[in-house]
């Protein structure tokens, strides 16, 4: 008998010693890295980064699946949520030190049939620093690490802080993380306004966010909610009558899923991702490592003006709606003959579609998949209406044709002096068309919009003036041939001012002959145009491919008093605590490219385009005292451009198809100019924006007695007809409504902005509790006794 007792105690103490050794080894990282004290004091709860406009308006968020959360403070959480959570998940939360041994032993002896043994603190440890392992052996080690982390969390944070971190971290399914996002998604309200039945429903989902999802399984969700309410009644947080009343109520949801497309300037937000990553690549966190725009809760402040963004999107929607009606009425579009000779493009689009990829994964043969594209099925397609979609019945092949036959567009506006981007519309609908037509990587032939840059060089380096006579005949370039090739020019001469206003190709070729293709290519590089332009004579007419972003960069020299200024969009980036980690200075992006005299003279000369030339009457219609601009059209009307500016604002628009063979139904004035005109009309009329109608270009001191607007004489009409056509303007919002056309409005939609603006704050330690919050924590038991440190707590309560 004595031998058996000795064996028992040996096994007991040996097992206990082995258990302690196992914990010590786990604590020191033998079974995998453990979070440091700094990690514990500043836990990295994955948090979405937020993008703000110049006035602080929330534009949108960047997040991965686990980073889609928006944190709240303890005081912003409904007491019902706290009571429901503690009553259901951890009844002795306020009396243990991270591990509830009673619950743990119960879970072991009942094999979990009466509930698990993890405390809220242990669950927080799992959410913060791990993902639940599926392998049982690994899970045992993971459980030990959770115990250690839980004890350390209890040593570094108050109970209220632990509850807050837990509720900010937990998943509610469907890519919804944190109590704030859950409250907004299921009830469209902030978490401090949740009713008791709503709080119980959300807390009930924590046991199984899929099976107890009220949208998918309302009956199970109702039963689980009522279980939570029973637990609240059991723990004295609800009286019997109130519990009975609330249980009898059905589930009432106001469900609306958070949408990644919701927010302002969706194309801009997508393009900005790479710029943010590039800006932060050399910035390290205080504790080491690189910042993530998806998980680190960054605050990115941009230069976008929300109202200008709205005007830009409105202008595009209104004009493109009308253009598309004309496109849809074209015979080659209606009959499908537009695709004759381009069948390979369609086959390529078919095989790149999601439908093809999904059916291929399902094991269907190429023949079966291809035949399915000829079977009509119900679907949603893009449409120019307020919802920007419609339900229809068509074959997948017709759907591909339908979407490719939509005319595309791009628009950008910026401050020409500072380079701050004010509006960015990369396409007609971000949800359907992801290709951004403004960014640096998307290049199209620029047509006549390049001519002002050539004329600038002629003025700066060859002594040309607005009154210099230019031959209006084709020019021969050895090794390249005639420019322009095979076209009648009309002969004679005209002033350089007239040649620009009426966009004369032959006169422009004459100027190129004086400047030289190689010299002009080098001049574009000096303007900081990133894309190398090959020195062919035809580039004088815009046969080179450049992006809208680059063209506006080059055009900054006119209103920017000779300085080439890179467009930029970010003013500063802050970490989740409001500390500035990166600040941007526009002055480093400015470089003097031409003299102030040349820039001013060109700006005044380019007013001829918007007064009498290819964009006749534009300046008067928008109400600007002084303005410059240029239209652009490429061969066969494949691309249409307009770039215009006042002393305070520079904007450009492009319109065309993804495939150039489809062609526009007009030139840059008719097709692209109306978008920019609508924008300038709205902005100049909105006094709150500070863009003055009466603003004038700053005249250099050297010209005070030498030049005025009357010195630049523009003919009242095209001296040699045949230039780009002249349209009669764009309608107002009221005109569209009067013509029975639906007012579409902007694509951007506001996002719910957090009530607490990002501010700098310090980590709150356990020893620092505000006096006004020093009472009993919500959910704490009556007469909560002073706790003594247990063995594990004494063992791991290390502050260094």
């Amino acid at each position: 008998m004595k031998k058996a007792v000795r064996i028992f105690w040996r096994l007991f103490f040996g097992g206990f010693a082995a258990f302690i050794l196992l914990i010590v080894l786990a604590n020191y990282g033998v079974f995998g890295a453990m979070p440091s004290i700094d990690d514990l004091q500043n836990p990295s709860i994955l948090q979405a980064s937020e993008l703000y406009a110049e006035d602080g308006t929330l534009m949108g968020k960047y997040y991965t699946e686990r980073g889609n959360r928006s944190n709240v403070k303890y005081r912003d959480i409904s007491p019902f949520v706290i009571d429901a959570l503690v009553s259901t998940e951890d009844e002795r939360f306020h009396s243990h030190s991270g591990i509830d041994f009673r619950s743990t032993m119960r879970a072991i002896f009942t094999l979990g049939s009466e509930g698990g043994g993890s405390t809220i603190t242990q669950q927080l440890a799992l959410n913060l620093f791990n993902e639940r392992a599926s392998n049982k052996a690994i899970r045992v080690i993971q459980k030990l690490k959770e115990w250690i982390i839980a004890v350390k969390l209890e040593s570094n944070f108050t109970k209220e802080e632990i509850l807050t971190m837990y509720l900010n971290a937990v998943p509610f399914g469907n890519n919804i993380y944190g109590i704030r996002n859950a409250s907004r998604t299921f009830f469209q309200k902030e978490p401090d306004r949740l009713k008791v039945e709503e709080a119980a429903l959300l807390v009930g989902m924590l046991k199984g966010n899929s099976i107890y999802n009220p949208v998918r399984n309302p009956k199970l969700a109702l039963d689980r909610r009522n279980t939570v309410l029973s637990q609240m009644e059991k723990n004295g947080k609800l009286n019997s009558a109130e519990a009975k009343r609330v249980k009898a109520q059905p589930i009432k949801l106001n469900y609306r899923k958070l949408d990644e497309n919701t927010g302002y300037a969706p194309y801009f937000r997508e393009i900005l991702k790479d710029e943010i990553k590039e800006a932060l690549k050399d910035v390290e966190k205080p504790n080491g490592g690189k910042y993530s725009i998806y998980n680190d809760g960054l605050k990115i402040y941009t230069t976008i003006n929300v109202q200008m963004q709205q005007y830009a999107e409105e202008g595009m929607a209104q004009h493109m709606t009308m253009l598309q009606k004309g496109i849809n009425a074209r015979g080659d579009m209606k009959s499908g003959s537009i695709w004759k000779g381009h069948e390979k493009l369609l086959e390529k689009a078919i095989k790149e579609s999601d439908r093809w990829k999904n059916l291929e994964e399902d094991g269907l043969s190429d023949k079966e998949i291809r035949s399915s594209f000829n079977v009509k099925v119900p679907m949603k397609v893009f449409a120019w209406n307020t919802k920007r979609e419609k339900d229809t019945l068509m074959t997948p092949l017709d759907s591909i044709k339908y979407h490719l036959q939509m005319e595309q567009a791009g628009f950008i506006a910026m401050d020409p002096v500072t380079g701050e981007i004010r509006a960015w519309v990369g396409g007609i609908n971000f949800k359907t068309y992801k290709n951004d037509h403004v960014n640096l990587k998307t290049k199209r032939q620029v047509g006549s919009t390049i001519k002002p840059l050539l004329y600038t060089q002629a003025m700066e380096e060859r002594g040309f003036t607005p009154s210099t006579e230019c031959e209006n005949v084709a020019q021969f370039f050895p090794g390249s041939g005639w420019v322009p090739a095979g076209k009648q020019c009309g002969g004679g001469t005209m002033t350089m001012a007239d040649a620009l206003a009426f966009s004369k190709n032959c006169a422009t070729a004459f100027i190129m002959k004086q400047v030289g293709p190689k010299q002009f290519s080098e001049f574009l590089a000096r303007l900081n145009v990133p894309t190398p332009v090959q020195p062919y004579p035809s580039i004088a007419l815009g046969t080179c491919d450049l992006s809208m972003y680059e063209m506006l960069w080059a055009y900054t020299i006119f209103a920017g008093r000779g300085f080439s200024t890179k467009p930029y969009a970010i003013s500063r980036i802050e970490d989740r605590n409001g500390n500035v980690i990166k600040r941007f200075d526009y002055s480093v992006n400015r470089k003097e490219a031409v003299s102030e005299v040349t820039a001013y003279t060109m700006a005044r000369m380019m007013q001829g385009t918007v007064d009498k030339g290819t964009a006749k009457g534009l300046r008067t219609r928008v109400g600007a005292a002084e303005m410059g601009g240029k239209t652009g059209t490429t061969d066969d009307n494949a691309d249409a451009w307009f770039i215009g500016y006042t002393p305070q604002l520079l904007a450009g628009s492009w319109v065309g198809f993804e495939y150039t063979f489809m062609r526009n139904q007009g030139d840059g004035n008719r097709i692209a100019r109306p978008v920019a005109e609508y924008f300038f009309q709205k902005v100049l009329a909105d006094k709150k924006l500070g863009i003055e109608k009466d603003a004038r270009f700053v005249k250099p001191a050297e010209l005070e007695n030498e030049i005025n607007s009357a010195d630049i004489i523009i003919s009242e009409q095209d001296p040699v007809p045949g230039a780009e056509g002249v349209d009669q303007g764009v309608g107002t919002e009221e005109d569209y409504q009067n013509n029975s056309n639906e007012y579409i409005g902007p694509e951007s939609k506001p996002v719910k902005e957090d009530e607490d603006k990002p501010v700098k704050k310090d980590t709150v330690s356990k020893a620092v509790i505000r006096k006004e919050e020093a009472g009993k924590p919500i959910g704490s038991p009556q007469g909560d006794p002073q706790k003594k440190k247990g063995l594990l707590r004494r063992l791991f309560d290390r502050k260094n």
Side-chain angles (χ1 to χ4, degrees):
M1 184 69 179
K2 289 182 179 180
K3 185 178 180 180
V5 171
R6 285 198 302 271
I7 293 174
F8 169 79
W9 285 113
R10 284 175 183 172
L11 290 173
F12 175 80
F13 286 114
F16 183 75
F19 176 70
I20 296 299
L21 178 62
L22 197 63
I23 292 178
V24 171
L25 291 174
N27 181 55
Y28 284 95
V30 174
F31 303 116
M34 292 286 287
S36 67
I37 294 298
D38 283 339
D39 291 333
L40 291 169
Q41 290 176 339
N42 299 280
S44 180
I45 296 178
L46 300 184
Q47 183 178 347
S49 291
E50 297 175 331
L51 204 67
Y52 291 91
E54 63 166 352
D55 64 352
T57 299
L58 179 62
M59 296 177 63
K61 300 181 180 183
Y62 297 130
Y63 54 82
T64 54
E65 182 176 333
R66 295 195 67 193
N68 182 19
R69 68 184 90 234
S70 182
N71 293 344
V72 290
K73 297 177 182 178
Y74 182 84
R75 65 172 179 264
D76 297 323
I77 302 172
S78 167
F80 296 128
V81 175
I82 303 297
D83 289 346
L85 178 64
V86 174
S87 298
T88 307
E89 295 293 322
D90 193 353
E91 292 177 318
R92 287 175 290 279
F93 174 71
H94 290 284
S95 60
H96 64 64
S97 299
I99 302 172
D100 186 347
F101 286 104
R102 194 192 310 179
S103 295
T104 301
M105 297 308 294
R106 182 201 67 214
I108 292 173
F109 287 118
T110 64
L111 299 179
S113 62
E114 295 183 12
S118 291
T119 64
I120 287 174
T121 317
Q122 286 175 253
Q123 294 177 48
L124 174 61
L126 179 65
N127 276 308
L128 288 181
F129 302 108
N130 243 320
E131 291 189 7
R132 186 180 297 274
S134 56
N135 183 284
K136 290 184 178 180
I138 296 176
R139 180 62 188 141
V140 169
I141 299 298
Q142 192 179 68
K143 197 72 176 176
L144 291 175
K145 293 168 72 174
E146 282 175 29
W147 285 358
I148 298 168
I149 295 171
V151 172
K152 290 183 177 182
L153 286 171
E154 291 274 347
S155 299
N156 284 278
F157 295 95
T158 67
K159 290 291 187 179
E160 291 177 358
E161 289 170 331
I162 289 171
L163 287 171
T164 304
M165 287 191 290
Y166 175 83
L167 287 168
N168 281 329
V170 288
F172 289 86
N174 290 339
N175 196 22
I176 303 166
Y177 285 82
I179 189 65
R180 169 172 266 166
N181 280 354
S183 179
R184 287 174 170 179
T185 301
F186 288 97
F187 301 108
Q188 300 303 305
K189 61 174 64 174
E190 290 296 320
D192 62 344
R193 300 187 180 96
L194 289 171
K195 299 177 182 178
V196 62
E197 63 271 21
E198 296 167 340
L201 180 72
L202 294 180
V203 170
M205 291 178 65
L206 300 179
K207 184 177 177 65
N209 54 47
S210 179
I211 192 171
Y212 296 120
N213 186 308
V215 176
R216 293 181 178 179
N217 302 305
K219 177 63 171 62
L220 291 175
L222 179 65
D223 292 342
R224 178 61 185 164
R225 183 202 71 177
N226 288 347
T227 298
V228 174
L229 291 170
S230 296
Q231 285 296 111
M232 294 177 71
E233 180 185 0
K234 172 187 171 184
N235 285 274
K237 305 308 175 186
L238 282 180
N239 59 48
S240 298
E242 180 68 7
K244 183 177 180 181
R245 182 189 68 81
V246 177
K247 287 179 183 179
Q249 295 182 8
I251 292 176
K252 297 178 182 178
L253 298 177
N254 185 9
Y255 182 82
R256 187 162 67 245
K257 186 74 169 66
L258 298 174
D259 184 0
E260 68 174 275
N261 296 318
T262 299
Y264 292 101
Y267 284 98
F268 170 79
R269 299 200 317 265
E270 183 65 23
I271 289 297
L272 207 62
K273 286 180 183 178
D274 289 338
E275 187 172 335
I276 297 169
K277 292 175 184 177
E278 179 67 21
L280 294 176
K281 70 179 183 180
D282 296 324
V283 181
E284 288 197 358
K285 296 180 183 179
N287 298 327
K290 301 297 183 181
Y291 284 99
S292 166
I293 67 169
Y294 301 108
N295 300 328
D296 284 329
L298 302 175
K299 312 294 181 186
I300 300 110
Y301 292 87
T302 75
T303 62
I304 291 292
N305 182 289
V306 170
Q307 189 57 69
M308 290 190 193
Q309 179 69 28
Q310 297 284 80
Y311 289 152
E313 292 179 8
E314 280 181 9
M316 182 176 290
Q318 299 300 79
H319 181 59
M320 298 306 293
T321 301
M322 293 197 300
L323 280 187
Q324 194 61 45
K325 287 180 179 178
I327 297 298
N328 294 342
R330 277 169 49 175
D332 57 353
M333 293 289 188
K334 293 170 70 175
S335 67
S337 61
I338 188 72
W339 293 102
K340 188 175 181 180
H342 303 287
E343 292 80 6
K344 288 184 178 180
L345 291 176
L346 280 177
E347 290 301 318
K348 182 174 181 289
I350 288 172
K351 293 188 176 181
E352 290 177 350
S353 68
D354 290 337
R355 181 183 182 85
W356 182 283
K357 294 173 184 175
N358 292 335
L359 292 177
E360 196 171 44
E361 289 177 2
D362 290 342
L364 274 69
S365 66
D366 286 3
K367 184 178 180 180
E368 290 172 319
I369 298 173
R370 185 61 184 83
S371 64
S372 74
F373 276 78
N374 296 317
V375 180
K376 289 186 177 183
V377 292
M379 64 175 69
K380 288 183 183 294
V381 295
F382 170 75
W384 279 117
N385 56 37
T386 53
K387 293 183 178 180
R388 282 180 164 77
E389 66 179 19
K390 68 178 181 180
D391 293 303
T392 188
L393 184 70
M394 65 170 63
T395 68
L397 176 57
D398 286 339
S399 170
I400 290 173
K401 292 179 181 178
Y402 172 86
H403 284 105
L404 287 175
Q405 289 172 195
M406 284 285 171
E407 196 153 26
Q408 302 299 313
F411 178 91
I412 181 176
M414 62 178 287
D415 185 317
V417 178
T418 67
E420 295 166 298
I421 296 171
R422 299 305 188 197
W424 181 303
V425 190
I428 60 174
N429 181 252
F430 183 72
K431 183 178 180 180
T432 307
Y433 301 97
K434 302 299 186 186
N435 188 21
D436 187 297
H437 296 281
V438 171
N439 81 99
L440 184 62
K441 296 178 182 178
T442 304
K443 308 178 196 301
R444 301 286 291 238
Q445 280 198 3
V446 298
S448 295
T449 56
I450 205 169
K451 290 176 181 176
L453 305 179
L454 175 65
Y455 286 41
T456 298
Q457 186 178 13
M459 196 175 290
E460 179 82 353
E461 300 176 3
R462 299 292 187 268
F464 276 53
T465 70
S467 58
T468 298
E469 290 291 325
C470 303
E471 296 179 5
N472 188 40
V473 295
Q475 303 292 315
F476 182 78
F477 292 82
S480 298
W482 292 93
V483 176
K487 293 187 178 180
Q488 298 298 318
C489 295
T493 64
M494 63 177 63
T495 65
M496 185 166 77
D498 275 351
L500 183 62
F502 297 101
S503 199
K504 309 306 292 186
N505 286 344
C506 294
T508 300
F510 169 79
I511 296 174
M512 173 59 100
K513 194 72 176 285
Q514 315 313 308
V515 170
K518 182 175 183 294
Q519 289 78 4
F520 183 47
S521 174
E522 293 170 348
F523 179 70
L524 292 175
R526 291 202 300 276
L527 293 181
N528 293 325
V529 173
T531 301
V533 176
Q534 298 302 312
Y536 300 118
S538 60
I539 62 174
L541 310 183
T543 56
C544 52
D545 288 1
L546 295 172
S547 65
M548 174 63 78
Y549 181 92
E550 290 172 298
M551 289 305 297
L552 257 70
W553 188 345
Y555 266 56
T556 58
I557 62 173
F558 302 126
R561 303 172 72 174
F563 282 82
S564 170
T565 304
K566 181 181 179 180
Y568 81 100
I570 309 173
S571 57
R572 73 183 188 277
I573 301 175
E574 297 178 357
D575 64 16
R576 69 176 70 201
N577 297 317
N579 302 306
V580 177
I581 59 175
K582 185 80 173 181
R583 194 179 293 277
F584 297 79
D585 179 10
Y586 80 87
S587 62
V588 301
N589 296 326
R590 302 191 76 219
K591 175 185 174 184
E592 188 171 7
V594 298
S595 69
E596 187 177 356
V597 170
T598 296
Y600 176 79
T601 306
M602 281 299 305
R604 303 303 297 119
M605 189 167 77
M606 290 175 72
Q607 185 162 307
T609 298
V610 295
D611 276 354
K612 303 175 182 179
T614 54
K616 182 178 180 180
L618 170 62
R619 181 182 64 84
T620 302
R621 292 194 297 271
V622 302
E626 292 186 353
M627 184 180 193
K630 186 68 189 79
T631 55
T633 311
T634 61
D635 284 347
D636 298 322
N637 292 338
D639 299 277
W641 294 74
F642 177 78
I643 303 176
Y645 56 90
T646 68
Q648 296 172 294
L649 193 62
L650 168 64
S653 54
W654 166 88
V655 177
F657 290 91
E658 292 293 349
Y659 294 129
T660 56
F661 68 83
M662 290 186 178
R663 308 179 318 282
N664 289 308
Q665 288 184 296
D667 57 25
N669 177 61
R670 179 177 181 273
I671 303 299
R673 182 265 313 154
V675 179
E677 181 168 331
Y678 182 99
F679 175 78
F680 276 108
Q681 282 178 340
K682 288 289 188 177
V683 169
L684 290 172
D686 191 338
K687 294 182 179 180
K688 297 189 296 295
L689 295 176
I691 307 298
E692 301 172 4
K693 286 186 175 183
D694 296 330
R696 296 181 182 276
F697 298 106
V698 178
K699 182 184 291 189
E702 302 94 306
L703 297 180
E704 282 298 333
N705 299 316
E706 296 182 22
I707 187 171
N708 56 53
S709 59
D711 291 326
I712 300 177
I713 300 173
I714 308 293
S715 299
E716 291 300 320
Q717 59 185 4
D718 187 350
V720 182
E724 296 166 352
V726 179
D727 197 35
Q728 297 301 315
V730 62
T732 63
E733 175 183 324
E734 291 75 16
D735 292 333
Y736 291 108
Q737 294 171 334
N738 293 336
N739 290 331
S740 300
N741 288 326
E742 182 181 22
Y743 172 64
I744 306 293
E747 178 181 12
S748 291
K749 302 298 179 186
V751 291
K752 288 189 174 181
E753 188 170 0
D754 295 348
E755 293 178 358
D756 293 321
K757 291 286 184 183
V759 294
K760 186 173 181 178
K761 53 183 179 293
D762 298 321
T763 302
V764 182
S765 67
K766 185 166 184 175
V768 183
I769 305 177
R770 293 184 301 274
K771 291 182 179 180
E772 63 268 28
E773 296 179 357
K776 293 286 183 187
I778 297 171
S780 64
Q782 294 297 318
D784 189 17
Q786 180 70 32
K787 293 183 289 183
K788 295 181 179 180
K789 290 188 177 181
L791 172 63
L792 287 175
R793 187 157 185 157
R794 288 200 300 272
L795 182 60
F796 300 112
D797 189 10
R798 295 180 291 117
K799 301 294 185 179
N800 47 51

